[in-house]
């Protein structure tokens, strides 16, 4: 009689989905994280948009409140979506049609108004994860533009097979531009995504880093200025 037991290769345990809740209310965040853990998710929370921008790479899905102390949730969605395709569900007390439309246009995959039932939220998480399709350019993928390659895991920049030594901010700035080929990244977006600062007015700091990168790359053509707007990656 054939053994009916499950073969070892069939006993694969699905890796838990890592959820990052961006929620400024500590009690709400604590309860949400607790409930998600009870349902098999690896959940954690951060109270600000700046912290979300530092940790979103470690998450499989984000739950974003629109009312954050440092950055509007819509702008947070837009900033993260500019860098990767991690699924985002807006979970907020704001329930106007305008808020829904702006959130979806900013890149969120779904919108759940408060108050909500846990069963509905989990059903929406499952639905979003089922239809989430990752694009080839992930936050951990090496970006190659002609002779220039940028490896985010090794945090290494190579040009014509030689390593370019850069500072941490210079690396983040160049990787941001290279991740959006042909697209102008505004100074405001750079301040949010590289300096994690949504309140300061973009000043000479960005220009100084751009100038330094151009010098290290050996050509000003690598970073093109869109006057009065921001910068995009070019080709030397």
């Amino acid at each position: 009689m054939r053994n009916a037991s499950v073969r070892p290769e069939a006993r694969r345990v699905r890796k838990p989905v890592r959820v990052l809740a961006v929620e400024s209310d500590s009690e709400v965040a604590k309860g949400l994280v607790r409930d998600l853990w009870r349902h098999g998710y690896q959940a954690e929370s951060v109270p600000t948009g700046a912290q979300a921008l530092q940790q979103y790479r470690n998450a499989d899905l984000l739950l974003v409140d629109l009312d954050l102390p440092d950055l509007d949730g819509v702008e947070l969605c837009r900033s993260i979506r500019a860098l990767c395709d991690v699924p985002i569900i807006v979970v907020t007390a704001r329930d106007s049609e305008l808020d829904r439309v702006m959130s979806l246009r900013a890149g969120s995959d779904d919108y759940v108004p408060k108050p909500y039932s846990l069963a509905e939220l989990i059903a929406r998480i499952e639905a979003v994860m089922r239809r989430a399709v990752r694009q080839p350019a992930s936050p951990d993928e090496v970006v190659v533009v002609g002779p220039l390659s940028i490896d985010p895991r090794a945090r290494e920049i190579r040009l014509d097979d030689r390593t370019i030594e850069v500072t941490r901010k210079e690396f983040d700035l160049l990787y941001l531009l290279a991740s959006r080929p042909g697209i102008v990244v505004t100074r405001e977006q750079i301040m949010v995504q590289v300096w994690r600062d949504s309140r300061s007015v973009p000043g000479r700091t960005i220009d100084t880093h751009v100038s330094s990168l151009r010098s290290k790359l050996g050509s000003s053509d690598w970073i093109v200025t869109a006057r009065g707007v921001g910068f995009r990656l070019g080709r030397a």
Side-chain angles (χ1 to χ4, degrees):
M1 181 176 178
R2 183 175 296 177
N3 192 335
S5 62
V6 179
R7 292 178 298 176
E9 61 267 29
R11 295 175 184 165
R12 293 179 180 176
V13 178
R14 186 178 64 181
K15 185 179 179 181
V17 174
R18 300 168 299 173
V19 178
L20 178 64
V22 189
E23 170 61 66
S24 59
D25 188 314
S26 60
E27 290 302 313
V28 172
K30 186 186 301 182
L32 178 57
V33 167
R34 181 187 63 242
D35 289 338
L36 289 173
W37 272 98
R38 287 176 177 173
H39 283 78
Y41 294 91
Q42 288 186 351
E44 60 179 317
S45 67
V46 292
T48 68
Q51 287 174 280
L53 286 167
Q54 293 175 336
Q55 297 188 36
Y56 75 90
R57 290 183 176 87
N58 299 321
D60 299 310
L61 179 140
L62 273 65
L63 302 177
V64 176
D65 189 8
L66 294 184
D67 295 313
L68 301 173
D70 62 334
L71 180 66
D72 185 79
V74 171
E75 183 57 35
L76 175 61
C77 290
R78 186 176 293 110
S79 297
I80 291 176
R81 184 57 73 237
L83 294 173
C84 72
D85 292 305
V86 62
I88 301 172
I89 299 178
V90 168
V91 182
T92 181
R94 286 157 55 176
D95 191 25
S96 71
E97 180 182 9
L98 179 60
D99 287 321
R100 289 174 180 268
V101 170
M102 290 181 64
S103 297
L104 293 170
R105 287 181 174 173
S108 69
D109 297 276
D110 202 350
Y111 192 104
V112 180
K114 297 177 182 179
Y116 56 84
S117 71
L118 182 62
E120 178 189 1
L121 179 62
I122 289 177
R124 289 180 179 269
I125 291 174
E126 291 173 348
V128 166
M129 291 306 297
R130 279 197 303 269
R131 65 177 182 260
V133 178
R134 301 292 181 145
Q135 300 297 322
S138 71
D140 294 325
E141 185 173 293
V142 176
V143 175
V144 178
V145 182
L148 177 70
S149 68
I150 309 172
D151 185 344
R153 288 187 175 180
R155 293 191 69 82
E156 181 182 68
I157 296 173
R158 295 185 66 82
L159 178 62
D160 293 323
D161 294 325
R162 64 184 176 88
T163 301
I164 305 297
E165 298 295 335
V166 296
T167 67
R168 184 168 63 88
K169 292 300 185 186
E170 287 171 353
F171 181 92
D172 291 342
L173 173 55
L174 188 62
Y175 187 70
L176 171 62
L177 298 178
S179 299
R180 305 185 65 187
I183 298 176
V184 173
V185 182
T186 68
R187 289 174 173 272
E188 289 74 18
Q189 288 174 317
I190 292 172
M191 287 300 297
V192 169
Q193 295 170 26
V194 176
W195 275 268
R196 317 298 184 194
D197 187 345
S198 61
R199 287 174 288 189
S200 297
V201 177
R204 296 294 302 172
T205 298
I206 296 176
D207 296 297
T208 300
H209 282 72
V210 167
S211 177
S212 178
L213 278 171
R214 285 170 170 164
S215 176
K216 292 178 179 181
L217 293 172
S219 173
S220 60
D221 293 336
W222 275 115
I223 302 178
V224 179
T225 301
R227 192 174 300 278
V229 180
F231 303 90
R232 65 174 174 82
L233 190 72
R235 287 177 180 269

